[in-house]
Amino acid sequence: MGSLTGKVAWITGAGTGIGLAGAQALAAAGATVVMSGRRAEVLAQQAGHINAAGAGRAEAEPLDVADAAAVAALAQRILARHGRIDILVNSAGLNTPNRFWKNQTPEGWREVVGINLDGTFHTVHAVLPAMRAQRDGLIINVSSWAGVHHPRLTGAAYNGSKHAVTALTETLNMEECTNGIRACALCPAEVATPIMDRRPVPPSAEDRARMLQPEHLGATIRFLAELPPQACVNQLIISPTWNRMYIDGL
């Protein structure tokens, strides 16, 4: 397994949940992590905690990934500051309580697809030229169990956007493998993150305790990042042992 010292990782959705856990894990392995998200105060606080821990280094860069121009501008700032982007972790994602055909609105649809799918495209598009030039790069797109299977619970916009992220990720491997770029669609089932609060019926504390926890995904992201550059995990599906998608048929 390789060292991440000297590596630069850009993580979206880094204020909470999987993105934050990924930033913490990559920094603990020695990487410089650029943390993006929509809440500047939360990002600054979490970056401060990482810097206080004294392993890698964290920088806070507020961003709405749905804004293509802002994404491109931030990528250029990172490159100007560090000269490289070695790892991109796309963890920005959301769902809406009104997610079923009976209550899905065009606005809700657009919000989910705009972050989950368009946001992933924008960041990938922004880092590819630099990764091609350095002939090396790892892209981890956080898809979902709903990007592989078809759970009813998560609704049309979320399922559709996450299936698209899984497909988009594999096209990167098809087209960019000869440039030293590898991509993984990371597909977790239920993780006890704040997105659970946006469900029509939020899970109980007992159910959340049985789910995957953010630090489990942080460890998974670190594992992927520490693999040697000739190893590509195209897709990784991870679920809780107590998997409600099986038990409850959700």
Side-chain angles (χ1 to χ4, degrees):
M1 306 296 281
S3 169
L4 299 187
T5 301
K7 300 289 188 180
V8 177
W10 181 17
I11 302 104
T12 70
T16 60
I18 296 171
L20 174 58
Q24 292 167 334
L26 295 181
T32 295
V33 296
V34 181
M35 302 170 64
S36 290
R38 291 193 285 188
R39 294 181 293 169
E41 188 174 321
V42 172
L43 283 175
Q45 182 182 52
Q46 296 295 354
H49 292 326
I50 290 173
N51 288 325
R57 181 163 172 265
E59 301 171 354
E61 287 280 4
L63 178 70
D64 179 356
V65 295
D67 184 337
V71 170
L74 176 52
Q76 290 306 308
R77 289 201 303 275
I78 296 170
L79 290 167
R81 196 156 62 232
H82 297 291
R84 59 191 303 112
I85 298 173
D86 300 286
I87 302 163
L88 170 66
V89 180
N90 272 310
S91 187
L94 55 76
N95 204 349
T96 173
N98 298 322
R99 61 186 61 175
F100 303 117
W101 286 106
K102 64 185 179 184
N103 58 15
Q104 178 77 73
T105 65
E107 294 77 18
W109 172 276
R110 192 66 251 157
E111 180 186 25
V112 173
V113 174
I115 297 294
N116 295 2
L117 178 57
D118 295 348
T120 297
F121 168 79
H122 294 153
T123 55
V124 170
H125 188 260
V127 303
L128 278 178
M131 288 185 173
R132 289 186 189 117
Q134 65 200 32
R135 300 199 64 77
D136 179 68
L138 169 64
I139 296 169
I140 302 172
N141 291 328
V142 180
S143 181
S144 171
W145 182 271
V148 180
H149 302 287
H150 303 280
R152 178 185 182 279
L153 177 68
T154 38
Y158 191 86
N159 288 16
S161 64
K162 291 300 189 178
H163 271 268
V165 166
T166 301
L168 174 156
T169 304
E170 190 58 10
T171 65
L172 285 168
N173 290 321
M174 293 175 188
E175 297 182 30
E176 300 295 340
C177 63
T178 55
N179 293 317
I181 298 168
R182 56 209 164 104
C184 177
L186 178 54
C187 302
E190 292 184 303
V191 185
T193 67
I195 198 173
M196 292 293 164
D197 295 326
R198 298 197 75 187
R199 285 194 172 170
V201 180
S204 68
E206 181 182 13
D207 281 342
R208 293 189 201 210
R210 289 174 169 146
M211 294 176 184
L212 293 168
Q213 302 301 307
E215 59 267 26
H216 301 149
L217 273 297
T220 305
I221 289 167
R222 177 172 174 171
F223 161 75
L224 293 168
E226 289 184 329
L227 285 171
Q230 66 266 38
C232 176
V233 178
N234 297 51
Q235 184 182 109
L236 195 159
I237 302 171
I238 181 170
S239 67
T241 304
W242 183 276
N243 190 345
R244 297 195 314 153
M245 301 298 178
Y246 294 146
I247 295 165
D248 294 337
L250 294 175

